Amino acid sequence: KIINTLHEGHGYLWVGTEAGLIRINENRTNAVIYQHKVDDRASLSDDHVNVIYQDSRSNLWIGTEDGLNLYQPEKDEFIRLKADPNDDESLKSNRIHSIYEDRHNTLWIGTWSNGISKFSYHQKGISHYYTYPDENSISDDNIWDFVEDKDNNIWIGTDKGLNKFNPQSEEFVHFFHDPDNPNSFSSNR
């Protein structure tokens, strides 16, 4: 099953599947399959590829069901980034379902069940956003997608509504389906 594709600037077509990552050359005459190998720490962290993303620096990020991978083209291998419960500077979940870079070169990593991890090439550290009982948190920890608007707000699709995040105030505004309002969203997903 094909889950995600990306045509990147070097002519390759990358295809993410439930059984690994495939790189197809520009002429479509050769394909390389990348899969998880237990004894190879430079292999893909998991075969189930959820998202492929190329950032503004041409880095290729691969989100899987068991970790985030950064492709190293000069070595044709991967650097694995994994959640570590003892490290606040690590991802908070290995189930990576979305990746987005905003116009300030901040990478937003959407996880399944553990919210958002974000980091910037310009600042040290990693920030995390989770669901809390208060109103100024994300509405759900299952993250589907991100997009940035002209005012630098980050819109985040979750399993329980749409969220608008203001990076200046660090506040979330939630938008939900209202069954009594025919003009509201048709669903919270």
Side-chain angles (χ1 to χ4, degrees):
K1 177 180 173 184
I2 294 175
I3 298 172
N4 201 316
T5 62
L6 173 79
H7 190 269
E8 51 98 337
H10 296 99
Y12 292 115
L13 175 65
W14 293 86
V15 181
T17 74
E18 291 178 339
L21 179 69
I22 303 166
R23 184 186 72 195
I24 303 170
N25 71 346
E26 188 171 17
N27 299 329
R28 310 298 183 248
T29 57
N30 186 32
V32 176
I33 299 171
Y34 298 92
Q35 292 180 310
H36 174 71
K37 296 176 186 157
V38 176
D39 56 344
D40 184 357
R41 294 187 48 79
S43 71
L44 201 60
S45 65
D46 188 65
D47 288 340
H48 192 127
V49 175
N50 293 318
V51 61
I52 307 166
Y53 188 84
Q54 186 173 33
D55 68 20
S56 62
R57 296 177 179 209
S58 296
N59 292 315
L60 193 66
W61 298 92
I62 295 89
T64 72
E65 283 295 300
D66 192 25
L68 181 63
N69 300 263
L70 176 59
Y71 179 64
Q72 302 289 287
E74 65 281 350
K75 296 179 180 179
D76 196 32
E77 62 186 32
F78 299 90
I79 295 173
R80 297 178 186 174
L81 303 165
K82 303 274 281 210
D84 178 351
N86 299 316
D87 182 1
D88 287 338
E89 295 293 316
S90 78
L91 298 169
K92 292 303 174 193
S93 172
N94 286 323
R95 295 182 69 193
I96 309 302
H97 280 240
S98 54
I99 303 170
Y100 180 77
E101 181 181 17
D102 67 24
R103 64 180 56 114
H104 300 290
N105 303 112
T106 299
L107 278 180
W108 296 75
I109 311 299
T111 71
W112 199 253
S113 76
N114 241 341
I116 300 166
S117 295
K118 76 168 188 163
F119 69 92
S120 171
Y121 288 115
H122 308 296
Q123 299 172 351
K124 293 202 179 215
I126 190 166
S127 301
H128 304 286
Y129 300 98
Y130 309 96
T131 301
Y132 291 106
D134 67 48
E135 288 188 20
N136 191 35
S137 71
I138 195 158
S139 64
D140 188 57
D141 286 330
N142 296 331
I143 310 301
W144 285 105
D145 211 355
F146 303 94
V147 70
E148 184 176 15
D149 67 22
K150 64 179 178 57
D151 297 321
N152 298 326
N153 296 304
I154 304 296
W155 292 81
I156 305 155
T158 74
D159 240 15
K160 294 182 183 165
L162 182 64
N163 296 254
K164 181 174 81 170
F165 178 74
N166 181 324
Q168 296 300 103
S169 66
E170 295 261 319
E171 294 179 340
F172 289 92
V173 177
H174 307 131
F175 299 88
F176 299 108
H177 167 67
D178 178 355
D180 297 326
N181 181 352
N183 296 319
S184 79
F185 292 117
S186 61
S187 157
N188 282 329
R189 268 187 110 180

